[in-house]
Amino acid sequence: MTTMNKNTAAPSMHITTPLFATDYNVYINHTDAGGIVYHANHLVFFENCRRDWFTKLGLNGYFLQTDDGEIQHFVVSQADLQYKKAILLDEVINVRIDKVELKPASIVFYQSIHRSAPNEEDIAQKSNPLANTTLLSRAKIVIACVQNQITPDSASNHSAPMRPIRVPQKLRESIEQALTQHANN
């Protein structure tokens, strides 16, 4: 008979190194009168983190120009957020990209926001800064790649469509390279 150790961590509790993580300060404009970050500002922090990661990868962010001069960009097509604990005024939070999935015409980001809660041992050793944190929120955000169909003739027509397109090759290659490097580390 096999027994499981009660101290065995479940796979979901396993601490993994994020693809990208960065710290942000929480300012008064992020919060309500009680000093708690507005729920919508979680999305702002996730957005800033994605943009900072794209910049680190050497990409121009959300607007890419094709060889024939057409503009491709990204829109959020789905956001699934789970709020766990309040984010407070004057905190420094760590926003992460935990996982990325590349689809033909979209990119799926799994992200999280954490509060550092170091204990004395971690401060002394600085062994693993990810080991002693509190999860504040997490999200699955789908970014769709689209192309505007606006022409000078249709600029006054506010219903000019955007059409979904494949994720641009340069972006796909940059993300695949980052995923490979992360897996090898």
Side-chain angles (χ1 to χ4, degrees), residues 17-26 42 44-56 87 91-98 111-116 129-130 133 136:
T17 304
L19 286 166
F20 180 76
T22 189
D23 291 338
Y24 295 103
N25 293 309
V26 177
H42 290 242
V44 171
F45 287 119
F46 289 134
E47 176 78 25
N48 290 343
C49 182
R50 290 192 306 273
R51 175 64 189 226
D52 290 345
W53 187 56
F54 277 4
T55 300
K56 180 184 175 205
I87 301 173
E91 285 192 299
V92 177
I93 56 173
N94 185 257
V95 184
R96 304 172 185 174
I97 298 173
D98 299 305
Q111 294 183 256
S112 57
I113 299 175
H114 298 259
R115 170 186 299 125
S116 292
L130 303 177
T133 64
L136 303 175

Side-chain angles (χ1 to χ4, degrees), residues 66-105:
T66 63
D67 292 337
D68 58 358
E70 293 185 21
I71 302 295
Q72 302 168 336
H73 60 100
F74 301 93
V75 296
V76 173
S77 64
Q78 178 184 343
D80 179 18
L81 278 72
Q82 295 176 335
Y83 301 98
K84 300 294 188 179
K85 296 195 182 280
I87 301 173
L88 306 173
L89 176 64
D90 293 331
E91 285 192 299
V92 177
I93 56 173
N94 185 257
V95 184
R96 304 172 185 174
I97 298 173
D98 299 305
K99 179 181 169 185
V100 173
E101 294 176 1
L102 283 166
K103 305 288 184 180

Side-chain angles (χ1 to χ4, degrees), residues 5-18:
N5 181 345
K6 289 182 183 179
N7 295 326
T8 302
S12 63
M13 298 300 290
H14 179 68
I15 297 169
T16 59
T17 304

